[in-house]
Amino acid sequence: MVISAEPLIYGLIFIAVLALVQGIYLTVFGKSISLNNRVNRRLEMLEKGAGREQVLEQLRKEMSQHMKSQSIPLYSILADRAQKANIAFTPPQLVMVMAVLTVVAFFLLTFGTTAALVIRLVISVVMGVGAVFIWVTNTANKRMSMIEEQLPEAVELMVRSLRVGHPFSSALQIVAKEVPDPLGTEMGVISDEAAYGRDVGEALKSMAERIDMQDMRFLAVAVTIQQTSGGNLAEILDGLAKVVRSRFRLFRRVKAITAEAKWSGMFLSIFPILALVMINVIQPNYYDDVKQTSAFIPACLVVAAFLVVNIFVMRALVNIKV
């Protein structure tokens, strides 16, 4: 029995390329760009001597650059996720990172495997683009989850500030100083925009649309209604904080209930591919007797189609809308 190590090498190379993306990002922008930074990025930039207007311009540029660049080749598949992840790389820089990772993967495949040139080229492109795609997607999901978790606390902090007599603009400034990233920087940008004359309700609505979050839309609507019709904003936001926290608790409960089904669906979707890889690793000549038959290619296509359909069916079965 001959055991091939090439599939394992492919996996290790992809993991190395994926780790290299995060390494490049932290090297270029430093630790202040990390999501779990205790002092939010806006405050760090201000502490380093940058002017308030300069910081606002830089952050607004980073927050809006991705959706404006969907026409760049290969970038349209990343634009929405990169927008939610608030990737500080510009779109051309992100495409350049894909190219660099593709070259790195090609050299690693050249030195670590005996695959043909065409196969190495195709796999290196898939690894370079796929690593950036997975990294951006994971960053976006993590950032959105953190904002959802931070929002009730931020709204409750606004409520306490309003009840002691602070205006809403001061409440925003307090949230921008006290809340860590990612929500702290987002609220800091809104506070700065309000200081330069932009309507607060409009700024909140723009943020809600940019990150596509329903709870943030509720906040924007509540502030806009209070501005136009009056009322006790502290009581409105207090009720909103309770609703958001209840929704968050409900989502967590549904996530816990469906966790087993999701993992089962993921296992059933991945297991056939893992089984195919293991068969080729343990017995590379397992399919030699049937490769030359006329039904081999059609059968492979049918199996691949069933695997793809299985992924969508399993996702639909465990995708519970709340």
Side-chain angles (χ1 to χ4, degrees):
M1 181 177 67
V2 180
I3 297 179
S4 174
E6 286 201 1
L8 179 60
I9 294 174
Y10 290 149
L12 292 176
I13 291 175
F14 182 72
I15 293 173
V17 171
L18 188 60
L20 186 59
V21 185
Q22 183 69 14
I24 294 173
Y25 195 56
L26 293 178
T27 301
V28 174
F29 296 102
K31 292 183 178 180
S32 64
I33 201 69
S34 59
L35 293 179
N36 57 355
N37 199 30
R38 288 184 177 273
V39 179
N40 64 60
R41 185 162 179 249
R42 171 178 167 271
L43 292 181
E44 282 204 358
M45 294 172 70
L46 290 172
E47 289 176 357
K48 291 179 180 178
R52 187 177 181 183
E53 186 174 353
Q54 180 184 356
V55 172
L56 176 61
E57 182 180 356
Q58 173 67 23
L59 293 176
R60 289 186 67 181
K61 179 182 177 181
E62 292 177 2
M63 291 174 179
S64 61
Q65 62 186 350
H66 301 288
M67 296 305 293
K68 296 179 180 178
S69 305
Q70 293 188 7
S71 59
I72 298 178
L74 292 178
Y75 192 73
S76 58
I77 61 175
L78 283 176
D80 182 62
R81 291 176 174 84
Q83 182 76 24
K84 293 179 180 179
N86 195 31
I87 301 298
F89 278 136
T90 63
Q93 287 174 338
L94 207 54
V95 174
M96 190 181 301
V97 169
M98 292 182 191
V100 171
L101 295 177
T102 299
V103 173
V104 171
F106 178 78
F107 278 108
L108 292 176
L109 289 170
T110 300
F111 290 110
T113 67
T114 58
L117 177 62
V118 176
I119 295 177
R120 279 181 280 140
L121 286 173
V122 173
I123 294 178
S124 61
V125 171
V126 171
M127 284 186 176
V129 177
V132 173
F133 183 83
I134 292 174
W135 172 70
V136 171
T137 301
N138 289 339
T139 304
N141 292 338
K142 182 179 178 181
R143 186 171 185 269
M144 295 298 293
S145 297
M146 292 180 70
I147 291 177
E148 289 177 351
E149 191 170 349
Q150 290 176 320
L151 185 58
E153 298 178 2
V155 174
E156 289 174 351
L157 183 57
M158 292 180 194
V159 171
R160 292 194 294 270
S161 300
L162 293 172
R163 283 177 174 170
V164 298
H166 293 157
F168 187 66
S169 58
S170 298
L172 283 176
Q173 292 177 7
I174 293 172
V175 171
K177 291 180 181 179
E178 298 296 332
V179 176
D181 272 341
L183 188 58
T185 295
E186 292 280 357
M187 288 298 182
V189 170
I190 293 175
S191 175
D192 290 342
E193 288 178 339
Y196 285 108
R198 188 179 186 184
D199 180 72
V200 177
E202 181 184 340
L204 287 169
K205 182 179 178 181
S206 176
M207 174 186 170
E209 295 300 327
R210 175 164 41 81
I211 64 178
D212 191 23
M213 181 177 293
Q214 189 64 36
D215 293 336
M216 191 61 68
R217 292 190 182 97
F218 292 158
L219 177 61
V221 170
V223 173
T224 302
I225 291 175
Q226 193 276 337
Q227 288 178 333
T228 56
S229 304
N232 190 335
L233 184 58
E235 293 300 325
I236 295 174
L237 294 184
D238 184 48
L240 176 62
K242 293 177 180 177
V243 171
V244 172
R245 196 174 291 279
S246 298
R247 276 168 46 85
F248 184 73
R249 187 162 51 246
L250 178 61
F251 288 148
R252 283 291 180 89
R253 184 177 180 183
V254 171
K255 185 177 180 180
I257 293 174
T258 59
E260 182 180 357
K262 288 182 178 180
W263 278 103
S264 298
M266 188 182 302
F267 175 79
L268 292 174
S269 299
I270 295 177
F271 179 75
I273 300 175
L274 294 178
L276 180 62
V277 172
M278 290 303 298
I279 289 173
N280 281 277
V281 169
I282 297 174
Q283 189 65 35
N285 301 322
Y286 186 78
Y287 295 104
D288 287 354
D289 294 338
V290 296
K291 277 184 179 179
Q292 306 303 324
T293 62
S294 59
F296 182 73
I297 299 298
C300 290
L301 295 176
V302 170
V303 171
F306 274 117
L307 288 175
V308 173
V309 172
N310 169 74
I311 293 174
F312 287 102
V313 171
M314 296 305 297
R315 288 187 63 182
L317 290 176
V318 298
N319 186 20
I320 299 178
K321 299 293 184 180
V322 180

